Amino acid sequence: MTAEEKTKIEERIVDVLKTVYDPEIPVNIYDLGLIYKIDVKDNCDVDIDMTFTAPSCPAADFILEDVRQKVDSLEGVKNAVVNLVFEPIWDQSMMTEEARVELGFE
C-alpha cells in the first residue's frame, strides 16, 4: 500500500469518526480529542487507540462498537481493532477549538 493510499484511508476514517457521538455530549469523539492513534497497516488492518472523558463512561461499549463497525465498513479497511486506553489521561486541552467553543469552554 502506498503512502497516498494510507492517507486517503486515514482521511475516510477521520470523516467517519466525526459521525460518532457520546450520547451525553453534543460534539463528535474526534473533535473531543478522544482518538489518540489511527494506524493503517499495509495489509489494510486498522488499529485505533481511543479514550473517554471519564473511565466510567456509561456509553463506552456502545461507542466502541459504533467506532469499530463504522471503520470496518469503510472501503479499503480489512479489519478494525479499537483499543481503549487511558494513557495519557484525557483533558479539555485535547479538544479542537471548535469543540471547546461548542461546549462553552472558550
Side-chain angles (χ1 to χ4, degrees), residues 16-22 27-30 63 66-67 70:
V16 80
L17 290 174
K18 288 183 175 186
T19 70
V20 178
Y21 288 80
D22 180 321
V27 175
N28 69 73
I29 64 168
Y30 189 83
I63 296 168
D66 196 24
V67 169
K70 287 181 175 179

Side-chain angles (χ1 to χ4, degrees), residues 68-84:
R68 191 196 61 75
Q69 285 182 354
K70 287 181 175 179
V71 174
D72 241 359
S73 72
L74 290 173
E75 182 181 336
V77 173
K78 182 177 167 188
N79 183 49
V81 175
V82 182
N83 305 299
L84 181 58

Side-chain angles (χ1 to χ4, degrees), residues 9-75:
I9 291 171
E10 287 174 10
E11 288 170 355
R12 288 196 301 267
I13 291 169
V14 169
D15 287 344
V16 80
L17 290 174
K18 288 183 175 186
T19 70
V20 178
Y21 288 80
D22 180 321
E24 298 177 350
I25 304 173
V27 175
N28 69 73
I29 64 168
Y30 189 83
D31 287 337
L32 279 173
L34 301 181
I35 304 299
Y36 288 171
K37 179 185 85 172
I38 300 170
D39 182 19
V40 178
K41 300 181 183 309
D42 287 335
N43 66 354
C44 299
D45 285 349
V46 175
D47 282 335
I48 296 174
D49 287 354
M50 68 171 291
T51 195
F52 290 106
T53 57
S56 60
C57 176
D61 291 341
F62 167 78
I63 296 168
L64 288 169
E65 185 60 15
D66 196 24
V67 169
R68 191 196 61 75
Q69 285 182 354
K70 287 181 175 179
V71 174
D72 241 359
S73 72
L74 290 173
E75 182 181 336

